[in-house]
Amino acid sequence: MNATPEARIKPALDHASREPGLGFDPAEVLRLGHRAVRRRRVVGIGAAAAVAVAAVAVAGQLGGQPNPLTPAGNGSRPTVTQSVASSQATLDLGGTTYLVRYIVTGGDEDRLEYGQQGVDGLAGSSVSAGGDGMTYGGTDAGKAVIGVVPAGTTSVSGFVLPARGTTRSVTAPLAGTRYDAFAIAIDGPGTVADLRSIEWEDAKGRAHTTAASDFQSAVFTVPSTGDAMQVWADAATRAWGARMPGTTTEAPEPYAGKPGLMYVGGRLGGHEGGPEPTAPLPMPEGKAWWVAYGMLPAGASQVELRLRDAATVVGDIYHQQLEAIGATAFAAELKTGGDGQQGGVVAEVRWVNADGTAGSFRPTS
């Protein structure tokens, strides 16, 4: 016959009563337990349960930490927030339609669902209800990024290394929310893993960049047009180049500590959507701008350009450190003579090294 609960607990009480400093009577503990059960008249709780309560009290005196009990309905069930509104937008990119569904929960965080329309299983994530920043995720077999940006954002663009393809983007309003939906599709062999940065400009004209940890860019302004120009560098491949409205260039060789110089240009005015890609085409005098840019050793400063053919520098020569590849990026707009060809205009680049010594570089073209 199996031992009764009381028969199993009594030896433990007898052993505990012999511990120095305790001095309780096991029989008395059992008697009080039985009396508590009779008084409470709780159906289904027997003497063993009452004795167990007494044992917990003993553990408390010994300095033990029994697990606290959580009353039913007081933190033991998940909180369910009732959805109060939702909004959605569809975005078409080259015949593929993406869906963004924004679900307002009424709390500090709302719910975002996104994916290719007509494909089962939308991805999802939480998003700040305050309309702050960018939230996104990859989908469509790794060929697109979908998400939200603050309402009124004027442009969203993504960047992959030229060897991995190009990107296209589109935005759409999410009615009743503080966000706009966006999608960026990648054309070429690249996937979402090759996306190095996402740039967007908010309703106040402020530029924002979300970039991979091993990708960095220096942003300059072309004086003649006010357009932003990025001199970019990728630590994983050591590739570097420039981005301007309508065109992207990449240096023929990765940066390996040797100074390098490149040119990029565009046409002034008359082209909807920004300057069209023109390099290396010649353009009439007064109708084009050219920018010389390149890489110098880390810590370089006081950059100067010696120019040929009566060319001059427009505005300042900018330089900025790119810790990602241990170099200094520089850029300067040039006003050229003759037919506007840019090649060979810079005869020499001079700078001061981090240790105070002079540095110079003569481009081959």
Side-chain angles (χ1 to χ4, degrees):
M1 181 180 293
N2 293 334
T4 64
E6 182 175 319
R8 291 195 302 270
I9 294 174
K10 188 175 184 302
L13 290 174
D14 289 337
H15 177 76
S17 68
R18 293 192 291 270
E19 291 291 330
L22 291 181
F24 64 87
D25 184 358
E28 180 65 10
V29 171
L30 288 171
R31 187 184 65 80
L32 291 174
H34 286 297
R35 188 173 68 178
V37 171
R38 289 193 299 269
R39 286 182 177 178
R40 293 172 186 171
R41 298 182 183 276
V42 178
V43 177
I45 300 180
V51 172
V53 172
V56 170
V58 172
Q61 294 177 27
L62 292 172
Q65 299 293 326
N67 293 329
L69 301 178
T70 303
N74 185 16
S76 62
R77 294 177 297 179
T79 301
V80 177
T81 303
Q82 179 67 36
S83 175
V84 295
S86 65
S87 178
Q88 69 179 38
T90 55
L91 307 106
D92 182 75
L93 275 174
T96 301
T97 302
Y98 301 100
L99 174 67
V100 176
R101 181 179 296 126
Y102 188 99
I103 302 171
V104 179
T105 66
D108 293 335
E109 289 189 341
D110 292 332
R111 178 74 179 167
L112 187 67
E113 296 178 347
Y114 49 86
Q116 186 175 337
Q117 192 174 44
V119 176
D120 293 337
L122 294 178
S125 65
S126 60
V127 58
S128 168
D132 304 321
M134 170 186 286
T135 298
Y136 63 91
T139 187
D140 189 18
K143 299 294 287 187
V145 164
I146 307 171
V148 293
V149 289
T153 293
T154 58
S155 65
V156 179
S157 62
F159 176 61
V160 297
L161 299 183
R164 301 297 293 165
T166 58
T167 64
R168 293 171 290 122
S169 60
V170 64
T171 62
L174 279 166
T177 78
R178 297 183 179 182
Y179 288 97
D180 291 340
F182 78 90
I184 299 173
I186 301 171
D187 298 321
T191 66
V192 170
D194 297 300
L195 194 65
R196 311 310 294 149
S197 68
I198 300 175
E199 294 85 31
W200 51 283
E201 187 173 294
D202 63 26
K204 295 182 178 181
R206 296 172 298 196
H208 304 264
T209 299
T210 299
S213 59
D214 55 356
F215 181 85
Q216 192 175 3
S217 61
V219 181
F220 308 106
T221 300
V222 180
S224 293
T225 66
D227 289 319
M229 169 186 174
Q230 289 181 315
V231 179
W232 57 266
D234 184 65
T237 61
R238 310 293 291 178
W240 63 280
R243 296 177 66 200
M244 305 189 78
T247 187
T248 298
T249 62
E250 182 176 355
E253 297 181 0
Y255 180 75
K258 180 182 178 181
L261 178 106
M262 294 274 290
Y263 296 91
V264 65
R267 187 182 301 276
L268 292 178
H271 179 67
E272 184 178 357
E276 61 189 62
T278 53
L281 299 176
M283 290 179 289
E285 171 68 13
K287 297 296 184 180
W289 49 261
W290 296 109
V291 174
Y293 71 96
M295 294 291 175
L296 300 174
S301 61
Q302 301 179 42
V303 182
E304 298 178 358
L305 301 181
R306 186 167 65 85
L307 307 177
R308 299 188 179 98
D309 303 328
T312 57
V313 174
V314 179
D316 298 323
I317 301 174
Y318 301 94
H319 63 85
Q320 182 176 322
Q321 301 302 311
L322 292 180
E323 294 83 1
I325 62 170
T328 303
F330 73 92
E333 182 182 0
L334 308 178
K335 181 179 180 181
T336 60
D339 60 3
Q341 289 276 17
Q342 87 282 20
V345 170
V346 177
E348 185 179 22
V349 183
R350 299 172 179 172
W351 67 91
V352 176
N353 289 307
D355 61 2
T357 60
S360 66
F361 162 61
R362 295 186 177 183
T364 57
S365 62

